[in-house]
Amino acid sequence: MARLFRDSSSSRSSGLAAGADTPPASSASAAPPLPSPLTDLGVALSASDLRATAYEILVAASRATGAKPLTYIPQSAAASTSTSSLSSSIHHSLASSAAAASKVKKALGLRPSSASASSSKRRGRGRPATAADLVLLQLGVSEQADARIRRALLRIAAGQLGRHAESMVLPLEFLQRFKASDFPDPHEYEAWQLRYLKLLEAGLLFHPLVPLKKSDVSAQRLQQVIHGVYDTPTETEKNSKLMEGLYSAAKALAGRSLGQTLDECHWADGFPLNLHIYQTLVEACFDSEDGAVVDEIDEVVEMLTKTWVILGINQMFHNLCFAWALFNHFVMSGQVDIELLSGAENQLTEVVKDAKATKDPDYCDVLSSTINSIMGWTEKRLLAYHETFSASNIASMQGIVSIGVSTAKILAEDISHEYRRKKKQETDVVVHSRIETYIRSSLRTAFAQKMEEADSKRSSRNPMPVLSILAKAIGDLAKKERTVYSPILKKWHPLAISVAVATLHSCFGNEIKQFMAGLTELTPDTAQVLKAADKLEKDLVNIAVEDSADIDDGGKLFIREMEPYEAENVMENLVKAWVKERVDKLKEWIDRNLHQETWKPKSNGENFAPSSVKMMQIIEETFQAFFQLPITMHSTLHSDLTTGLDRNLLYYVSKSKTACGTQSTLIPQLPHLTRCDVGSKLFKKKEKPQVLMKRGSQVGSTTNGLSDIPELCVRINTLYYVQTELQSLEKKIKTYFQNIGSIDHKTYELNIPFKLSQAACQEGIRQLCETFAYKVIYNDLSHVLLDSLYAGDTASNRVEPLLRELDPILRMVSGIVHNGVRNRVITTLMKGSFDGFLLVLLAGGPTRAFTLQDSQMIEHDFRALRSLYVANGRGLPEELVDKASSEVKNILPLLRTDTGTLIDRFKRAISESCGSTTKSGFPMPPVPAQWSPSNPNTILRVLCYRNDEAATKFLKKAYNLPKKL
């Protein structure tokens, strides 16, 4: 049982209630239900738990077993009708009374069902013949569970002669009367026991009607007893010692009252537990198939009222719960069952009356959360009613508006208990405010949709400007508002259409003002838009004037709100608008052409992107046109044009190097240090060697072998071309200024045009060169460098394969890359190859091991790699090669230094950099930014790859390094 309690919030808890697998009444709904407005219980009672509890309370309060009453009748039956068994009117055949007029349905404004229809439904769907059976079905309780409950109630009745149900703590009674033999499955019995304990905890400790004090001994005792049962599964029959303690503690708490002397047990009438249970019972009022109010609603409600005395429910709470249920089922019907909406609307009128007649804080809390939930749903639809309502469902709009207004009034007036002080005029203000909010929000949403539609209609076949299309669409929208929606809304706001057209006028005004502010020249399209805007404005104003004709000064407020569309200043800032248009068009052109760019070398030798040539041509033409404008402020507006074009160039440069990778994503990670396995082969013939750890899928994710090399070369050439063309353009711009006799040389020199683009090109070339080098070294050539160079056996895996594959790459670069940037590319590749060579020597993983004799071969390989770039004077300058290879050259002497000397040198270096060592070993030196023969991490790595007994013993003792990764 303790396990079940801890897991009670899981799916296993659904098996605690009778008929837990039976779906609730809303299972056939077309939409999900609304979230419950009731606060959480804080106890793991599932929906099936609540259904089982609700049914037990209902049966106990009614004292009936379907068509046959319990054999035991309490002595007080004649004295109290509220606790008597079900009246004969509930047990007679419902088929014969289905056609009778329902008082509840009449009060709700629902149509009564005919007897034939009711009988037909019952025959076709197996409907029960009594109200009790109907509730049994609606709550999803199985016949076996029903029989079990009724047997237990007979046992309770036999032992509690003359006692009313409300004077008993039913969970206690059921715990005592149920036996394991009553259940087909011991787990089910344990689950039922658990539910009763949770009910006691919820009703007496978590949500008691009479507040508990922290020092309440009975509460502490009950808590201990309940948790004792949680932790120790046990029989709960009446005579057990545990049950005696549980019974005593629970009765002491349940018997407390608020000053009343009635013989009542307050175990289920605390808030919100009682409302959770009663809301479950209210679901029995709705058909499990279609969610409609059942034909037998009067009989069912009569049954529910018998639980009020146990649950502490009164007519006000019933009205509120029933109003919520009606509205919730309307929502679940997919908003198609208008009768449910009408019923909810009528029921809310009763709730309004109740709210004005009480100041009960519990009721006000539940009322507030319920009304907020309903209003939240209605307002979500009403704030966009053009999306929500159409010809197919317009009939529901009036009811939803009515409920939205009613809930707003309840929250604004009744819950605060200030309604008696409110004047009618102030109440009207609340209503008008809500309606105005609905109208403005809906029309703004509709306006946004019309804008999208207008934009989509603009095409080569329909060259009309978008704002002209939009103006006509808004005019049609205003007419639709006037004929379809405003007649409904005028019931609450007499100037509903004035609010609507004022909102549309404002929305379109924002667009037309933006349009006029963005005009560069007066074109036919511009004139067409202005005429359409003028016509729309006149139509909207006329509608507002006609709507307010019979209102004394009432419509002037909204007419004044419609600020005229001013067009006198449309020619202001024309030059800035012209500049913006050219810059924006260039940005669009760059996006479009970069998307199509292939970055392939050309057969004519112009190995840079055609888009760069066209872009620079467009920029030059833009400057030519700018200096031809008939204005006198070229010098003051020149910076706007240059800045905008500079941003486009930066964008082009950024896009040109995007997705090519960076040094951080291409260089492999260093593997963990290991010591050499002296005297054994590094790996078997068929075993794949362990190489440098790579950066997951980042390495090679954007490459396709050597096919990336020409593309990268073209990208580098492109940025170099843009850089050189910008230098030429700057000279031309200076000439333009001289020709118009307007140039301030000092200012011009301080504000060099395209300074940011120039820097971006320079940095972009550097980044692309690095990307090129690291892709070649660590991806395209990884099989001859990282995977195989010196792997397994130094003598057998020399540098020649790497040199053979580097040579055609160098020839390819020489054939594609522009002369002005070629040496930069090759220099970066050279630096990358030396870095990779060092990476193999100092971080090549456990497949590498070097002896002192190997150092000669390694030095020979280094000289061969260096010679590749010198190329007998035909390659890079020797001083440049010397500089790039200096790091390797400085490290090589370590490889020919004996192990003892290396160990001594390491100890001195680690002591100097990390302080004195301890008995437990040496601290691990950090990886340096650059390898150095005096750096302790560098020396340590040489020792790790030294195929020598002394080295491996030192590493084992100093760092306990493993022999394998």
Side-chain angles (χ1 to χ4, degrees), residues 365-420:
D365 287 344
V366 178
L367 175 66
S368 177
S369 60
T370 303
I371 295 305
N372 269 306
S373 179
I374 294 174
M375 189 173 75
W377 186 93
T378 58
E379 293 211 332
K380 185 177 180 180
R381 275 87 191 148
L382 294 174
L383 290 171
Y385 60 72
H386 279 265
E387 293 181 354
T388 307
F389 302 104
S390 60
S392 61
N393 67 346
I394 193 65
S396 65
M397 182 177 176
Q398 180 165 324
I400 292 178
V401 174
S402 177
I403 288 178
V405 171
S406 296
T407 52
K409 287 172 62 178
I410 291 173
L411 288 175
E413 304 167 16
D414 300 330
I415 292 180
S416 65
H417 299 291
E418 296 178 357
Y419 61 94
R420 296 182 183 90

Side-chain angles (χ1 to χ4, degrees), residues 673 906 910 913-914 922-928 935-938 940 959:
L673 287 175
F906 170 77
I910 195 71
S913 62
C914 301
F922 298 93
M924 180 61 71
V927 177
N935 174 262
N937 187 278
T938 306
L940 178 63
Y959 291 104

Side-chain angles (χ1 to χ4, degrees), residues 659-838:
C660 292
T662 62
Q663 176 180 352
S664 62
T665 61
L666 293 169
I667 296 180
Q669 295 176 339
L670 299 181
H672 297 295
L673 287 175
T674 60
R675 54 195 173 93
C676 185
D677 194 357
V678 179
S680 65
K681 292 184 178 181
L682 293 175
F683 53 88
K684 298 176 182 178
K685 267 189 176 181
K686 296 183 179 180
E687 184 181 0
K688 186 176 180 181
Q690 295 173 317
V691 295
L692 288 168
M693 294 189 294
K694 298 185 178 180
R695 296 180 181 269
S697 60
Q698 292 177 334
V699 175
S701 61
T702 57
T703 65
N704 187 18
L706 297 178
S707 61
D708 276 351
I709 294 177
E711 176 183 328
L712 284 167
C713 291
V714 171
R715 290 178 185 267
I716 293 169
N717 284 347
T718 299
L719 296 191
Y720 181 72
Y721 169 79
V722 171
Q723 185 180 26
T724 54
E725 285 298 303
L726 284 176
Q727 294 169 355
S728 174
L729 182 60
E730 288 178 13
K731 295 178 182 178
K732 292 179 181 179
I733 293 173
K734 197 171 184 179
T735 302
Y736 290 143
F737 274 116
Q738 290 173 341
N739 290 339
I740 62 174
S742 174
I743 183 169
D744 183 342
H745 290 281
K746 291 183 179 180
T747 303
Y748 187 83
E749 294 298 332
L750 290 174
N751 298 283
I752 299 174
F754 309 110
K755 185 176 183 180
L756 295 178
S757 300
Q758 288 274 25
C761 288
Q762 187 72 16
E763 176 62 16
I765 292 171
R766 186 194 66 78
Q767 291 177 358
L768 286 174
C769 286
E770 282 189 354
T771 298
F772 164 79
Y774 290 119
K775 277 191 175 183
V776 169
I777 297 301
Y778 297 117
N779 284 293
D780 300 340
L781 302 183
S782 64
H783 60 289
V784 292
L785 179 64
L786 304 181
D787 296 350
S788 60
L789 181 62
Y790 305 140
D793 179 48
T794 304
S796 302
N797 296 287
R798 301 286 294 280
V799 81
E800 284 79 9
L802 174 64
L803 301 179
R804 283 196 299 271
E805 298 207 22
L806 269 173
D807 187 64
I809 293 174
L810 290 172
R811 287 199 298 271
M812 186 185 301
V813 169
S814 298
I816 298 176
V817 178
H818 191 278
N819 289 342
V821 74
R822 184 182 300 148
N823 276 6
R824 260 191 280 179
V825 177
I826 296 176
T827 300
T828 309
L829 177 62
M830 174 182 65
K831 181 66 170 63
S833 63
F834 286 131
D835 289 346
F837 188 78
L838 262 184

Side-chain angles (χ1 to χ4, degrees), residues 40 48 111 219 284 294 310 324 358 381 427 429 523 602 651 683 783 914 941:
D40 186 69
S48 56
R111 292 191 303 270
V294 297
I310 296 176
W324 161 260
T358 183
R381 275 87 191 148
T427 302
V429 169
T523 65
K602 303 295 185 296
Y651 180 73
F683 53 88
H783 60 289
C914 301
R941 289 177 177 275

Side-chain angles (χ1 to χ4, degrees), residues 56-68:
E56 289 169 349
I57 292 174
L58 182 65
V59 175
S62 300
R63 299 291 179 91
T65 56
K68 296 180 180 180

Side-chain angles (χ1 to χ4, degrees), residues 67-350:
K68 296 180 180 180
L70 288 171
T71 56
Y72 168 72
I73 301 176
Q75 296 176 358
S76 59
S80 175
T81 58
S82 64
T83 57
S84 66
S85 62
L86 282 176
S87 65
S88 60
S89 64
I90 297 177
H91 286 295
H92 75 275
S93 174
L94 295 179
S96 64
S97 63
S102 166
K103 294 181 180 179
V104 175
K105 282 194 171 186
K106 184 177 180 181
L108 294 173
L110 306 180
R111 292 191 303 270
S113 301
S114 64
S116 59
S118 178
S119 299
S120 174
K121 285 203 306 180
R122 213 176 294 122
R123 288 193 301 269
R125 291 158 41 192
R127 292 287 294 242
T130 68
D133 291 337
L134 174 64
V135 173
L136 183 79
L137 175 66
Q138 299 293 75
L139 293 181
V141 179
S142 67
E143 293 183 3
Q144 294 84 354
D146 175 51
R148 184 163 56 232
I149 291 168
R150 294 180 182 278
R151 284 197 305 271
L153 285 172
L154 284 173
R155 297 169 187 165
I156 293 170
Q160 299 281 355
L161 293 176
R163 297 199 64 187
H164 300 174
E166 65 269 22
S167 66
M168 294 184 286
V169 183
L170 289 177
L172 279 179
E173 302 298 336
F174 280 121
L175 275 172
Q176 294 181 100
R177 306 305 173 183
F178 276 131
K179 303 176 182 178
S181 59
D182 291 328
F183 295 83
D185 182 355
H187 293 294
E188 186 176 354
Y189 172 54
E190 192 173 292
W192 276 66
Q193 288 179 309
L194 175 60
R195 176 169 62 85
Y196 293 133
L197 292 172
K198 288 193 289 185
L199 280 171
L200 290 173
E201 191 169 26
L204 295 177
L205 297 177
F206 279 47
H207 309 286
L209 177 66
V210 182
L212 286 172
K213 296 180 180 179
K214 292 184 179 179
S215 59
D216 196 309
V217 176
S218 298
Q220 296 172 1
R221 187 168 68 250
L222 178 62
Q223 186 78 57
Q224 292 172 356
V225 173
I226 289 177
H227 282 277
V229 180
Y230 284 158
D231 297 332
T232 307
T234 182
E235 289 290 334
T236 54
E237 294 181 22
K238 185 173 182 180
N239 295 326
S240 69
K241 184 176 180 181
L242 181 141
M243 274 307 299
E244 289 179 1
L246 182 66
Y247 192 88
S248 172
K251 288 291 289 183
L253 288 177
R256 298 177 311 126
S257 68
L258 296 169
Q260 301 172 350
T261 58
L262 298 177
D263 183 19
E264 295 176 352
C265 283
H266 301 289
W267 65 273
D269 50 356
F271 296 90
L273 175 62
N274 58 346
L275 292 178
H276 276 279
I277 296 171
Y278 193 68
Q279 195 67 61
T280 303
L281 285 171
V282 170
E283 285 299 306
C285 298
F286 298 89
D287 192 280
S288 59
E289 294 291 328
D290 57 18
V293 174
V294 297
D295 298 335
E296 304 81 10
I297 181 64
D298 290 26
E299 289 86 347
V300 174
V301 170
E302 183 180 347
M303 290 182 66
L304 299 191
T305 59
K306 297 183 181 299
T307 66
W308 290 5
V309 68
I310 296 176
L311 296 174
I313 300 294
N314 55 25
Q315 188 68 50
M316 290 193 304
F317 281 107
H318 169 81
N319 290 342
L320 183 58
C321 289
F322 196 46
W324 161 260
L326 284 164
F327 185 78
N328 192 31
H329 277 274
F330 164 70
V331 172
M332 290 191 291
S333 75
Q335 305 168 49
V336 298
D337 194 333
I338 304 301
E339 277 210 336
L340 288 172
L341 177 63
S342 176
E345 184 182 355
N346 291 328
Q347 187 69 15
L348 271 177
T349 61
E350 297 300 316

